[in-house]
Amino acid sequence: MFTHSGARKKCHDISGRSSNKKEIPSSAPSKWPGVTQLRALLHRYQDKDDPKLSILLCEALIGVYLSLLIYALDLYEINILYRLVTNPFTAQMWSIVFGGGLKKIYSVRTNLDARPKPARPESSPADKQRLKLHNKVFGNTSTLERSGGDDPLSVKEDEKFVAPEISIASYLMTKPTKRATTPSIDYDSEDSFQSSDDDYDDDDEDLLPKPKTQVSEEHTDPNSYSWCLMRYAIVRYTLYTIKKFLPLVGIEIPELPASSPLLCSVLKMLDKWNIALREKVELFGGPPADYIPGCYTDNTNTGPSILKYKAMLEPHNTPFLSSHHSTLPAKRLWLRLVHIECLQDIFIRYIFKKRKDSISDSKEGIIDDETTDSGIGSTIASAVKVIHKDQDPVSSFCINQSNQSVMALSTLKEIIEMDIGMILQPPSWLEDETEYDIEAMQYPQVTQEQTSDFIMVNHLSAPEKMLLSRSLSSPMTFQHNTLSSTGSSFSAEYEKIARGAKMMVRRQVNAVRKMAAHPQLPYYLVGCQDGAVTMYEWGHNTALCSPRVQGSFSKVTQLQFNTQGNKFGVSDGEGLVYLWQCGYSANTTKPFLKLQCHNKQTSDFDFVSSSSLIATAGHSSESKNVALWDTLLPQRSSLIQAFTCHEHGASCVVFAPQHNILISSGKKGDICIFDIRQRLLRQTFQAHDMPIKSLAIDPSEEFFVTGSSDGDIKVWGLNVHNLLYTFNGEHSRKNFFQSSVSGVLQLAVTGQNQLYSCGADGSMKVRQLPEPDLIVKTYSNMY
């Protein structure tokens, strides 16, 4: 190729110019041409619509570089790729191919012969001795006297333009210097040009079958894993060097669309190449088995993360295992790329990362062939994640509806707001050791942050896996052992624990019983044991308002906003329900409605349809424990319908607007389903052996969830009320002392089928449930 021949004819040693006393430009690329007069001349005669000369030079430089890169990538010219990688864009390269300004500083003796010289008295020997001592202590003065005259020396600067010494193509194809090459590879590309054609000339009969066998080797197969990895690394390095070089020339990256649309399109094209090549590497699913035999991680290292993977920097650890001399160019290019710091994360990720098929095989071994066609087994195998663990029970929680990665939970002593985005959607480096090391190398300040209060459990326990592998002909059951009652210690059933939540605000509020978040605005309500109700804004310490103050009312049993967010209600232990208007101009100090719904206690309530109706669940002396109320009617006639059900009282109630049904639960573990339009009891069945303490319905209304006082959680179908899943002991508290607070205290299902739960065991958990269509198919698959 002409580039190689031109480069060999030049034999230009970049580092040897100073030894030959050649003039080297000292101006920066952004100040090109580096001479003040030339810069002023260019600025004077340049039209406003014309592009800057430095931009044109950059476009030419990058155009030549990319043409050589495309040629080398298309024909797999390893030597050209190596020289392009070894001769990157630098300020020194700019001065070589485009020249630059050179400042010379020299002394000029001023001629004072034309001036009348004043008569100077003859200096005595004492004056001369004093002058020598003065010069010895304070140095020589700025004006130096000649031995035969009085002319001083002045310092002057002279600017000069140094012409370029080599073309762009010749520079890029220049043989790299010894300090830039990898010293462990004894290979000269210029010698290979002369001997590459002689290898097949000695004995044609013996060498005919060799090209066929070499095609399967790693360095001769352009579609091999190593070649795909090197192409990806080269394109990424090209993109990195261009983005780093443009500011040196005075071209800012954000201004490229206006200053140079051509360079902007080039960067976008390289971005697309980078993504496409990365996806091609990821199609392999990881490195082949025994990819680099001598490349292992050093887990005993306690220093920087790169030292853990120092084996990949060894010269003998390359994927090109053949000892033939034809592999030397590939080995040299591989080692050069591995030693580039900005590319080391690529090689660490795609050399040491485990293959995806091996991970999936281990997961498939859990479910085996007993999984049904519905895919329920693989979906339900997602991990339960513990968001918070405390010695005290977690009584309630609420989720920010405008940002569902933010939530607040309450204990007996405080309210904690936290960001759980990294738990719901954890980054890859939280679950993968290799990705974690890469993240530690790139962002050490992020990975060093630790939160001691919140933890995340990523894997199922061994008993869960055994139960998961059973047949799906019956409702799925998962048995959980109780977590340790100490603050941060956990039992051995949890395989892996990682930190992920971030605490935002702590509020010192005692005995919180219920919490509710506004459906649109960033507000939430807090109700306490002493009857106080306070509204807070997410992320702020001060309260917005206090609809009820402490000490004047009975304990709060439930808080609810309506769907529109313009009303909220509070039920208490005396059987009363209070309603307030919610808005910027609404009066939150006084409720607009007060209803005596049950004569003993109102445990729960929910807004029905257009929010003018409310459904209540509680305990009345006449066993009318579920009732419908119209808030637009006078209080004496506001009761529309009362249902006699749930012996010893109803504990929870929830409304399904799409089905127009009302679901209530009782203190003996029974479930009642009512038709709102006909105002009839449609069905009742026994859901738990213990009292039901919480009830939730998913937004798509395909299933609902119940939680009992013994800590069990069950998922039920809504159309056909069959049991779908059971999570036994999810929030059971087993200790020596009996407590009045027990079981599952609150449940919630989000639109992403994430089941949140908290309970008396002091834990706040989230679990990913299957998709709604898979849950609907469960009933038909079981029968």
Side-chain angles (χ1 to χ4, degrees):
M1 184 182 174
F2 73 93
T3 52
H4 286 291
S5 60
R8 292 200 302 271
K9 289 180 181 179
K10 289 286 184 180
C11 291
H12 182 75
D13 188 3
I14 301 174
S15 63
R17 294 182 304 166
S18 59
S19 61
N20 297 331
K21 297 183 179 179
K22 293 183 179 180
E23 295 178 335
I24 303 176
S26 58
S27 61
S30 59
K31 303 295 183 181
W32 194 89
V35 180
T36 305
Q37 295 180 356
L38 290 177
R39 286 173 56 84
L41 186 65
L42 291 174
H43 182 72
R44 184 184 308 161
Y45 291 100
Q46 184 181 7
D47 192 3
K48 294 182 179 180
D49 298 331
D50 295 339
K52 293 183 179 180
L53 188 57
S54 60
I55 295 178
L56 295 177
L57 295 179
C58 272
E59 292 176 352
L61 175 63
I62 296 176
V64 174
Y65 185 91
L66 290 181
S67 63
L68 293 174
L69 178 65
I70 294 172
Y71 173 83
L73 289 175
D74 183 55
L75 298 181
Y76 303 100
E77 289 285 348
I78 301 180
N79 292 323
I80 298 179
L81 292 174
Y82 176 75
R83 295 191 177 191
L84 291 176
V85 171
T86 313
N87 297 323
F89 300 139
T90 58
Q92 183 185 11
M93 177 271 300
W94 182 273
S95 63
I96 293 174
V97 299
F98 295 125
L102 175 63
K103 288 185 178 181
K104 285 188 175 181
I105 301 175
Y106 55 92
S107 300
V108 178
R109 194 175 300 280
T110 305
N111 188 8
L112 301 178
D113 295 337
R115 303 178 184 177
K117 296 181 180 181
R120 297 182 60 184
E122 296 182 0
S123 57
S124 61
D127 295 334
K128 293 182 179 180
Q129 191 68 21
R130 188 181 301 106
L131 181 61
K132 287 183 179 180
L133 179 61
H134 183 276
N135 293 335
K136 184 176 181 181
V137 175
F138 298 100
N140 295 329
T141 58
S142 58
T143 58
L144 303 176
E145 295 185 3
R146 293 181 300 177
S147 57
D150 298 328
D151 296 342
L153 294 177
S154 62
V155 179
K156 288 189 176 182
E157 293 183 355
D158 187 16
E159 292 182 333
K160 178 183 179 182
F161 180 77
V162 179
E165 303 178 10
I166 193 172
S167 65
I168 300 175
S170 298
Y171 170 81
L172 295 175
M173 292 296 103
T174 299
K175 179 181 178 181
T177 58
K178 292 183 178 180
R179 64 180 181 181
T181 57
T182 305
S184 302
I185 298 297
D186 187 10
Y187 174 74
D188 192 344
S189 58
E190 293 183 359
D191 296 339
S192 66
F193 296 133
Q194 300 175 0
S195 60
S196 58
D197 298 332
D198 300 337
D199 295 337
Y200 298 96
D201 294 340
D202 296 338
D203 192 355
D204 295 337
E205 296 181 357
D206 297 337
L207 295 177
L208 283 177
K210 287 188 177 180
K212 297 181 181 179
T213 58
Q214 289 180 351
V215 172
S216 60
E217 294 182 0
E218 196 78 11
H219 71 285
T220 57
D221 184 9
N223 295 320
S224 63
Y225 184 77
S226 302
W227 257 111
C228 292
L229 185 56
M230 287 195 298
R231 284 197 296 268
Y232 170 44
I234 290 172
V235 171
R236 177 175 166 179
Y237 184 61
T238 302
L239 182 62
Y240 171 81
T241 52
I242 291 177
K243 288 183 177 180
K244 188 177 180 181
F245 175 71
L246 289 179
L248 295 178
V249 192
I251 304 175
E252 298 298 332
I253 301 296
E255 299 176 358
L256 272 183
S259 61
S260 177
L262 182 59
L263 290 179
C264 183
S265 62
V266 166
L267 292 182
K268 290 181 179 180
M269 179 190 65
L270 288 175
D271 275 326
K272 293 180 180 179
W273 290 3
N274 186 48
I275 295 173
L277 292 174
R278 183 187 64 202
E279 292 176 351
K280 188 173 183 180
V281 174
E282 291 177 351
L283 288 178
F284 287 88
D290 200 15
Y291 181 49
I292 303 178
C295 204
Y296 300 102
T297 58
D298 185 8
N299 295 321
T300 60
N301 178 59
T302 58
S305 299
I306 187 59
L307 297 180
K308 184 178 179 180
Y309 304 96
K310 61 182 179 180
M312 73 174 185
L313 304 177
E314 298 294 334
H316 58 274
N317 286 333
T318 66
F320 312 106
L321 306 179
S322 176
S323 59
H324 195 269
H325 71 275
S326 61
T327 62
L328 293 179
K331 291 180 179 179
R332 183 179 65 167
L333 178 60
W334 175 274
L335 290 176
R336 176 59 184 167
L337 294 173
V338 166
H339 281 79
I340 297 176
E341 185 177 355
C342 63
L343 300 179
Q344 289 177 348
D345 61 315
I346 294 179
F347 291 96
I348 292 175
R349 178 179 294 112
Y350 294 108
I351 292 177
F352 298 94
K353 196 173 184 179
K354 295 181 180 179
R355 290 183 60 87
K356 294 182 179 179
D357 52 1
S358 62
I359 300 175
S360 60
D361 292 342
S362 62
K363 291 183 178 180
E364 291 175 359
I366 299 174
I367 302 175
D368 206 15
D369 57 352
E370 295 180 355
T371 306
T372 61
D373 296 334
S374 64
I376 294 287
S378 60
T379 309
I380 199 65
S382 62
V384 56
K385 300 178 181 179
V386 179
I387 300 175
H388 180 78
K389 186 67 177 73
D390 202 288
Q391 294 180 352
D392 299 325
V394 178
S395 57
S396 183
F397 66 90
C398 62
I399 302 171
N400 189 352
Q401 298 302 313
S402 58
N403 182 11
Q404 293 195 357
S405 63
V406 177
M407 69 173 303
L409 59 89
S410 62
T411 63
L412 297 179
K413 300 177 182 178
E414 60 183 355
I415 298 174
I416 305 173
E417 293 183 19
M418 66 183 74
D419 186 351
I420 58 173
M422 293 180 65
I423 292 182
L424 299 180
Q425 296 178 352
S428 57
W429 56 267
L430 265 181
E431 300 180 348
D432 191 288
E433 184 179 0
T434 303
E435 294 292 340
Y436 181 84
D437 293 334
I438 294 173
E439 193 73 14
M441 293 169 54
Q442 296 178 346
Y443 309 101
Q445 69 279 4
V446 176
T447 54
Q448 289 177 359
E449 291 182 357
Q450 296 184 355
T451 53
S452 59
D453 295 327
F454 311 108
I455 64 175
M456 180 181 71
V457 178
N458 296 317
H459 296 282
L460 292 173
S461 63
E464 287 177 328
K465 294 179 180 179
M466 296 298 295
L467 291 173
L468 183 62
S469 61
R470 295 179 181 174
S471 175
L472 299 180
S473 59
S474 60
M476 293 187 180
T477 304
F478 297 91
Q479 184 67 38
H480 289 259
N481 294 332
T482 307
L483 295 174
S484 174
S485 60
T486 58
S488 59
S489 60
F490 285 80
S491 60
E493 75 169 286
Y494 293 89
E495 297 177 356
K496 184 178 179 181
I497 296 178
R499 304 186 185 278
K502 180 181 179 182
M503 193 270 294
M504 298 171 56
V505 178
R506 284 181 180 268
R507 309 181 192 274
Q508 299 299 325
V509 182
N510 295 326
V512 175
R513 290 183 58 89
K514 294 295 178 180
M515 303 175 70
H518 196 280
Q520 289 94 21
L521 300 177
Y523 306 141
Y524 66 94
L525 289 170
V526 175
C528 302
Q529 178 73 23
D530 54 9
V533 175
T534 309
M535 182 179 291
Y536 294 97
E537 184 176 1
W538 293 96
H540 292 73
N541 293 320
T542 58
L544 290 177
C545 60
S546 298
R548 297 200 339 178
V549 295
Q550 61 181 359
S552 302
F553 302 91
S554 180
K555 65 179 180 180
V556 175
T557 58
Q558 187 57 276
L559 296 171
Q560 286 284 354
F561 282 96
N562 65 340
T563 307
Q564 295 78 17
N566 58 352
K567 298 178 184 177
F568 69 89
V570 178
S571 62
D572 60 17
E574 294 180 351
L576 296 172
V577 174
Y578 299 83
L579 296 181
W580 281 265
Q581 294 288 344
C582 183
Y584 292 105
S585 60
N587 183 13
T588 58
T589 59
K590 185 178 181 180
F592 71 89
L593 183 64
K594 175 182 177 182
L595 285 176
Q596 182 70 45
C597 298
H598 301 275
N599 56 9
K600 291 187 178 180
Q601 177 178 306
T602 300
S603 302
D604 196 4
F605 75 97
D606 198 4
F607 290 95
V608 178
S609 299
S610 61
S611 303
S612 61
L613 298 178
I614 60 172
T616 60
H619 192 194
S620 299
S621 57
E622 299 177 357
S623 297
K624 295 181 179 181
N625 299 323
V626 177
L628 283 174
W629 305 82
D630 192 342
T631 60
L632 300 179
L633 297 177
Q635 294 189 15
R636 293 184 178 180
S637 57
S638 60
L639 178 61
I640 298 177
Q641 182 70 39
F643 301 97
T644 303
C645 57
H646 300 301
E647 186 180 358
H648 302 302
S651 57
C652 301
V653 64
V654 65
F655 174 66
Q658 298 178 13
H659 292 74
N660 274 322
I661 61 174
L662 197 67
I663 306 173
S664 65
S665 61
K667 295 183 178 180
K668 284 195 172 183
D670 53 333
I671 292 290
C672 293
I673 299 177
F674 304 93
D675 191 335
I676 295 298
R677 286 173 293 189
Q678 299 180 2
R679 299 177 186 176
L680 295 175
L681 177 61
R682 177 188 294 180
Q683 186 178 356
T684 179
F685 60 91
Q686 191 70 25
H688 294 267
D689 297 331
M690 300 294 290
I692 297 177
K693 307 203 66 174
S694 56
L695 191 64
I697 187 171
D698 79 303
S700 60
E701 296 189 13
E702 298 290 346
F703 61 91
F704 65 96
V705 188
T706 59
S708 64
S709 60
D710 57 358
D712 296 345
I713 296 177
K714 294 183 179 181
V715 182
W716 305 85
L718 194 58
N719 295 322
V720 180
H721 311 305
N722 59 308
L723 178 62
L724 301 179
Y725 308 110
T726 300
F727 305 104
N728 290 330
E730 190 80 356
H731 291 283
S732 60
R733 185 170 185 175
K734 297 179 181 179
N735 51 16
F736 181 76
F737 299 100
Q738 296 295 328
S739 176
S740 59
V741 180
S742 61
V744 183
L745 300 181
Q746 187 175 344
L747 293 169
V749 182
T750 63
Q752 293 77 25
N753 281 349
Q754 293 168 337
L755 174 61
Y756 290 83
S757 62
C758 67
D761 62 338
S763 64
M764 177 74 212
K765 299 181 181 180
V766 58
R767 180 190 293 273
Q768 184 67 45
L769 294 177
E771 295 296 329
D773 55 344
L774 298 179
I775 296 180
V776 173
K777 295 178 182 178
T778 304
Y779 185 77
S780 60
N781 290 332
M782 290 192 299
Y783 296 96

